[in-house]
Amino acid sequence: MNIFHHAIQIDEAKCVGCVHCMRVCPTEAIRIREGKAMIIQSRCIDCGQCMRACPAKAFYIKQNDLKMLQDYKYRIALFPAVMIGQFPDKISEEQIYQAMLALGFTHLMEVEQPIKILIDLTKEYLQETQVSKPCISAFCPAVVRLIQIKYPSLVDNIIPLKAPHDLAAHFILQSLMNQGVKKEEIGIFYITPCAAKISAVKSPVGDQPSVVDGIISMSDFYNKVRQLIPREEETETSSQRKHLTREGVLWSTSRGESSRFGNRAIAIDGIHSVVKFLDRLENDEVQGFDFLEMRACDQSCAGGILMTGNRFTTTERLEQRSKNYPSYREKELDKTLDKHKLTQCLLIDEIKPYNAFSLDDDITRAMEKMTKAQRIICFLPGIDCGACGSPNCQALAEDMVQGNAKMSDCIFLQQRWQHEARIGVEKAFLNLEKRWGEGRFNADCNKRGRRNEGF
Amino acid sequence: MIELRFILEGGDFDRAGTASSETKKILKQLNIDPRVIKHTVVALYEAEVNIAAHAYRGEVTITVSDHQIVAVLKDEGPGIADIKRAMLEGFSTASPKVREMGFGAGMGLPNMKKNADVLEVESTPGSGTTVKMIFDF
């Protein structure tokens, strides 16, 4: 079952077969097979934890080439405000903008520019009495996917409004088309701080396809921009930021949303904290809150997996920068734009749950499998070492009942069998090599994962 | 049929929620309707908190069959003198200390009744209470 597009890929040539990624995955979506990591697609939420943990840099994301720019007359770079925050203080906003224009873009659009529309719409939504509280923002696509696959009873709590990049894309599209530009002449490129946003663009939660034409990784983009930074500010680019507001600049940092909505709002960042909180929320253990801001990355988008700068200094620069801009309350929407049409573009039709953790679609069969897994667990050591290629003993038992692993994958069980003379030494070693790759255990001083590598 | 068993300690609010969280994980793996899971988990959590708030110790047994979930929570504790009154919203005998912790609003039993298809409460004052809940699917 592959419902979602996935941005995160594994380069098998680089994967050295360790367990770092498997250990940190919040949805137990990674297994090691024949010495290589593999992703269980139905469980992956593109949060990027694996990418962060990999000592061999074997994870990568699929992105578009900047050469694609040549196909369009009007070339728009959509990027979140955190982009600016990554640069050292000595490089000014103007210089960064000029470097981006030098890359070949005609229009630069920080996605949070028209944030007032999203703030107003969200406020309206929160005032409706029949909505399930607490409402959860759909801002972070990894969180939305997590809820879809792991917390199906909470899908109704998600606010069915798209993220700022969708709003910005429609906003710039409408502005240009109002000036008489043809749609096919416009190429919209989203510079993404994370993998989850890529998936959100390639397979949006609702049914309509996204209007974004290409995706560019922030890390590559940062390097390119950095090389083109002019020595001195040459031209005035502030007109490209005329809609930017204080709230917009801070939107993708932690508390960017929660400080705007509800009487009682919470902001949670970091995927493992989000998981813990959703667990409690599903039990009704948490009550009385109106709004939840949840972001997969520590320090929200400032800590995005494709971001270059330190997440704390990035946040601080944005805080300083926000002071130079007016509040959204002082801004009026461009009169030439059709607010109703923009609003329509922001609605998500339906957020469906997809339980990725059931043992079987059929309850009776699922129960048989569970009974079997519970019996298997009795034989496993409970050390959760991951040497079997599954993240923990429970997961190994479940993999076994699904036919994806064997008893002999447990190295401790194999050891016991050898001790009881039920299996030969040679056979046991071959089993290990089958899981971890031939020659994987030979002495090798240049082996990846040696001292001082990894964590 | 799947059976789960948990031991609860009176006064241990920190661990109240363990049985419901564990049960939730199992029910999801069994591909049971999210709405049924929600009802079960919410009611179960309330029952767990009741044991933490009032009883000395308790035992939870969850049985899942192909058409229903049965939860039996048996505790050793002071028991409930007037079950009818205890079922009323807002009625609570929780100590001020428990209330200070944010519990004891008198919504526990009513909330369990709202979420379970069947709720049976049996109690012997001075010895303990047994709560049985059934959730059909």
Side-chain angles (χ1 to χ4, degrees):
Chain A
M1 193 168 60
N2 195 2
I3 314 143
F4 307 128
H5 168 95
H6 284 289
I8 295 181
Q9 313 278 325
I10 298 170
D11 184 341
E12 287 214 354
K14 286 188 182 163
C15 177
V16 294
C18 59
V19 295
H20 291 108
C21 55
M22 188 171 76
R23 292 199 155 278
V24 296
C25 178
T27 57
E28 293 186 354
I30 296 180
R31 297 292 181 276
I32 314 295
R33 294 289 179 261
E34 290 166 38
K36 303 286 170 194
M38 56 151 276
I39 299 173
I40 301 170
Q41 300 291 335
S42 60
R43 284 197 184 177
C44 176
I45 56 169
D46 281 303
C47 68
Q49 287 293 318
C50 49
M51 246 174 132
R52 231 184 273 279
C54 181
K57 302 212 182 308
F59 291 86
Y60 67 97
I61 58 144
K62 278 195 283 197
Q63 61 167 328
N64 294 106
D65 200 304
L66 272 179
K67 284 196 189 97
M68 242 181 102
L69 284 176
Q70 296 160 1
D71 300 343
Y72 302 93
K73 188 173 170 196
Y74 297 90
R75 305 172 290 274
I76 292 109
L78 281 187
F79 62 97
V82 285
M83 165 80 193
I84 304 292
Q86 303 177 92
F87 289 86
D89 287 340
K90 61 175 198 278
I91 301 176
S92 74
E93 241 169 272
E94 290 288 340
Q95 284 170 297
I96 301 167
Y97 263 67
Q98 283 160 25
M100 281 194 263
L101 290 171
L103 263 177
F105 291 100
T106 56
H107 294 73
L108 306 176
M109 175 90 180
E110 289 187 49
V111 298
E112 296 89 354
Q113 288 218 46
I115 208 70
K116 183 177 172 25
I117 300 176
L118 194 58
I119 295 179
D120 291 346
L121 273 177
T122 307
K123 281 194 169 156
E124 268 171 45
Y125 182 84
L126 288 171
Q127 271 163 11
E128 284 176 37
T129 46
Q130 66 271 43
V131 300
S132 316
K133 292 278 166 70
C135 294
I136 303 172
S137 164
F139 175 90
C140 177
V143 170
V144 173
R145 296 260 144 109
L146 176 70
I147 294 172
Q148 283 180 291
I149 67 159
K150 202 172 178 200
Y151 303 96
S153 72
L154 295 175
V155 287
D156 294 335
N157 293 61
I158 303 173
I159 304 172
L161 290 172
K162 291 183 187 166
H165 71 264
D166 292 294
L167 171 60
H170 286 284
F171 184 88
I172 188 92
L173 202 60
Q174 213 189 91
S175 312
L176 283 173
M177 283 164 75
N178 279 351
Q179 293 165 29
V181 176
K182 289 197 205 87
K183 195 172 177 212
E184 54 274 20
E185 293 177 315
I186 306 171
I188 302 181
F189 296 84
Y190 179 56
I191 323 292
T192 181
C194 68
K197 292 267 182 201
I198 301 180
S199 310
V201 169
K202 298 278 182 183
S203 56
V205 181
D207 289 330
Q208 307 111 327
S210 169
V211 292
V212 172
D213 299 288
I215 295 275
I216 294 157
S217 152
M218 182 80 84
S219 58
D220 291 7
F221 191 73
Y222 177 85
N223 288 338
K224 289 198 173 89
V225 172
R226 196 69 207 263
Q227 281 162 22
L228 291 171
I229 295 286
R231 263 171 209 238
E232 273 157 47
E233 292 175 11
E234 288 152 2
T235 43
E236 164 78 19
T237 60
S238 60
S239 64
Q240 305 244 14
R241 300 187 282 281
K242 64 178 174 196
H243 302 288
L244 206 56
T245 60
R246 191 181 303 155
E247 291 81 2
V249 169
L250 293 175
W251 199 253
S252 56
T253 63
S254 292
R255 297 206 64 79
E257 292 175 277
S258 68
S259 55
R260 299 269 75 78
F261 302 126
N263 292 322
R264 297 189 66 195
I266 296 185
I268 300 164
D269 56 9
I271 193 74
H272 294 286
S273 304
V274 169
V275 165
K276 285 211 181 85
F277 198 88
L278 288 173
D279 256 324
R280 302 191 61 154
L281 186 63
E282 213 182 25
N283 295 6
D284 256 8
E285 284 177 52
V286 191
Q287 284 171 353
F289 294 95
D290 310 309
F291 182 87
L292 299 179
E293 167 194 305
M294 292 187 164
R295 273 83 182 272
C297 295
D298 195 3
Q299 291 292 307
S300 296
C301 298
I305 185 71
L306 302 174
M307 293 285 290
T308 300
N310 172 283
R311 59 186 186 275
F312 301 105
T313 58
T314 299
T315 305
E316 201 271 346
R317 174 156 189 187
L318 292 169
E319 278 164 4
Q320 295 301 334
R321 184 186 182 216
S322 72
K323 293 173 188 162
N324 304 331
Y325 289 91
S327 166
Y328 78 99
R329 290 187 191 86
E330 298 157 33
K331 285 269 174 185
E332 280 302 318
L333 183 67
D334 195 339
K335 292 279 188 301
T336 59
L337 289 169
D338 183 346
K339 193 178 173 189
H340 178 71
K341 216 169 127 192
L342 279 175
T343 304
Q344 289 304 311
C345 297
L346 273 184
L347 307 177
I348 302 173
D349 344 304
E350 196 194 354
I351 303 173
K352 292 188 193 116
Y354 301 98
N355 181 356
F357 294 86
S358 77
L359 291 171
D360 203 293
D361 289 345
D362 177 74
I363 292 181
T364 316
R365 291 240 299 279
M367 266 196 247
E368 285 165 15
K369 285 181 181 174
M370 182 165 292
T371 311
K372 213 172 141 193
Q374 285 176 344
R375 261 202 321 271
I376 293 171
I377 269 289
C378 305
F379 295 93
L380 301 179
I383 290 173
D384 292 341
C385 64
C388 55
S390 300
N392 50 58
C393 296
Q394 176 69 37
L396 174 63
E398 287 162 18
D399 286 348
M400 278 192 223
V401 299
Q402 299 291 27
N404 297 326
K406 304 190 301 293
M407 280 294 217
S408 59
D409 287 329
C410 174
I411 58 166
F412 297 97
L413 207 53
Q414 272 218 119
Q415 192 65 41
R416 213 185 88 193
W417 288 348
Q418 288 180 65
H419 175 68
E420 292 169 357
R422 287 168 64 188
I423 180 176
V425 176
E426 188 60 23
K427 173 88 170 107
F429 189 74
L430 281 176
N431 279 339
L432 273 183
E433 279 202 326
K434 217 182 271 172
R435 183 52 93 222
W436 290 96
E438 221 183 299
R440 175 69 170 82
F441 307 109
N442 297 347
D444 175 5
C445 295
N446 296 315
K447 189 181 288 172
R448 295 305 300 265
R450 63 189 187 278
R451 207 154 60 115
N452 295 337
E453 261 190 359
F455 295 131
Chain B
M1 206 151 78
I2 303 283
E3 202 183 90
L4 306 166
R5 213 177 272 275
F6 306 94
I7 303 290
L8 305 175
E9 288 297 322
D12 192 351
F13 286 94
D14 192 37
R15 275 184 57 82
T18 318
S20 36
S21 286
E22 282 296 309
T23 305
K24 179 170 73 179
K25 202 178 153 206
I26 300 281
L27 295 179
K28 282 181 189 172
Q29 288 186 309
L30 295 176
N31 204 27
I32 285 162
D33 187 324
R35 281 164 299 188
V36 177
I37 299 183
K38 176 107 193 165
H39 289 311
T40 309
V41 166
V42 169
L44 199 53
Y45 177 66
E46 291 285 7
E48 274 187 85
V49 169
N50 270 354
I51 290 180
H54 300 285
Y56 315 129
R57 66 178 294 280
E59 194 180 305
V60 187
T61 312
I62 315 277
T63 322
V64 190
S65 64
D66 58 5
H67 66 287
Q68 61 177 207
I69 301 156
V70 181
V72 178
L73 296 98
K74 199 169 167 339
D75 74 46
E76 290 163 24
I80 305 170
D82 187 344
I83 294 177
K84 249 192 193 150
R85 254 181 99 197
M87 295 300 293
L88 296 173
E89 284 189 13
F91 178 81
S92 175
T93 58
S95 66
K97 201 176 133 203
V98 168
R99 284 170 203 253
E100 247 171 51
M101 293 168 82
F103 300 102
M107 295 304 290
L109 279 166
N111 211 4
M112 280 147 69
K113 193 176 168 60
K114 208 162 71 189
N115 281 287
D117 291 294
V118 176
L119 171 68
E120 289 167 12
V121 186
E122 277 173 31
S123 187
T124 316
S127 126
T129 305
T130 301
V131 171
K132 183 179 177 182
M133 295 184 284
I134 301 177
F135 308 87
D136 294 313
F137 56 85

